[in-house]
Amino acid sequence: IREINTEAALLSGEVQRAIAWPGVLEAMAGVQREQFVGKADQAAAYCNAPLAIGHGQTISQPLIVAIMSGALRPQACHRVLEIGTGSGYQAAVLARLVGEVYSVEIVKELAERAGVVLARSGVKNVHVRVGDGHHGWPEAGPFDGIIVTAAADGVPETLVAQLKPGGRLVVPLGRTRQVLAVLTRRDDGSIHREDLLQVRFVPFVEG
Ligand code: SAH
């Protein structure tokens, strides 16, 4: 948490506001990241760096998890959709901030492992499903927030359509140069976009 605060001081006001959102750092402190990584990475789990989780995928750097969580402006009554369950770490952090988390993962083995780890950690409000995140989870929507933890080439319109008015979609956009964007669905249906910072994510693959 100290490292997150030190690094955050170098970032923009909007990013700092995301990290300072009520409950975000407490949620980060409350989740044991080591439970979501392999045996060989136990010591590295508490470094502010991304880690491999198998299948060519990575668990994001804690600073980025904090920024993305806060950028959603989460509230206890919210329902949030995550695309890219991966290790389940981001979902576990969100589970402490919102009412229900729905998470879609395209790699079956990762989804299954995340489900086991989350259950073992006593997390009950995360629902994991195997599938292509491009479709979202229409039966569970509309959502107060959607977080995509893989980089999309363009704005994923199907996901935007599953946001409530006022809902926020946090998504890394771009291929080689990526920015973390926050798209807000206004009451009149139009979309407001704000770019927070440059990031590097694995690609959002076509299912
Ligand atoms: N949020 C994760 C990190 C995810 S890495 C964590 O906290 O550990 C990105 C994840 O997105 C990978 O697990 C990858 O398999 C998944 N992914 C990529 N394309 C996808 C798609 N089309 N639908 C669902 N998941 C996808």
Side-chain angles (χ1 to χ4, degrees):
I1 301 293
R2 182 161 25 90
E3 262 186 66
I4 288 177
N5 278 322
T6 311
E7 281 201 38
L10 307 170
L11 298 165
S12 76
E14 204 41 46
V15 171
Q16 290 183 37
R17 271 190 292 282
I19 295 169
W21 185 261
V24 168
L25 290 178
E26 290 84 345
M28 299 284 303
V31 178
Q32 292 178 288
R33 194 168 181 248
E34 84 223 21
Q35 299 189 334
F36 297 85
V37 302
K39 283 206 177 63
D41 285 323
Q42 292 297 302
Y46 290 99
C47 293
N48 189 19
L51 286 173
I53 53 171
H55 301 273
Q57 303 302 332
T58 55
I59 171 171
S60 308
Q61 184 190 352
L63 172 68
I64 299 296
V65 173
I67 293 169
M68 292 180 78
S69 303
L72 282 174
R73 304 198 179 161
Q75 293 180 24
C77 59
H78 281 179
R79 297 157 71 79
V80 163
L81 173 66
E82 177 191 32
I83 306 299
T85 316
S87 67
Y89 175 69
Q90 169 80 73
V93 170
L94 288 174
R96 291 178 164 255
L97 290 162
V98 303
E100 300 295 331
V101 180
Y102 294 83
S103 188
V104 183
E105 169 58 53
I106 202 163
V107 179
K108 186 164 168 269
E109 293 77 13
L110 289 177
E112 283 170 357
R113 191 167 71 199
V116 169
V117 174
L118 288 164
R120 205 196 295 143
S121 316
V123 179
K124 296 196 171 69
N125 55 341
V126 176
H127 314 275
V128 181
R129 171 199 263 193
V130 182
D132 180 0
H134 286 89
H135 307 305
W137 194 323
E139 315 86 274
F143 301 98
D144 300 283
I146 302 180
I147 181 169
V148 183
T149 66
D153 278 346
V155 174
E157 296 296 343
T158 323
L159 298 182
V160 172
Q162 290 176 29
L163 280 177
K164 288 183 191 173
R168 297 162 73 81
L169 170 61
V170 178
V171 55
L173 291 177
R175 199 163 278 180
T176 41
R177 285 179 70 85
Q178 301 171 5
V179 289
L180 186 63
V182 181
L183 308 171
T184 310
R185 182 175 181 154
R186 294 207 187 91
D187 291 346
D188 65 6
S190 68
I191 300 294
H192 169 80
R193 171 172 169 176
E194 186 173 20
D195 292 347
L196 291 190
L197 79 164
Q198 289 204 27
V199 285
R200 225 174 63 213
F201 275 82
V202 296
F204 189 21
V205 299
E206 297 296 331

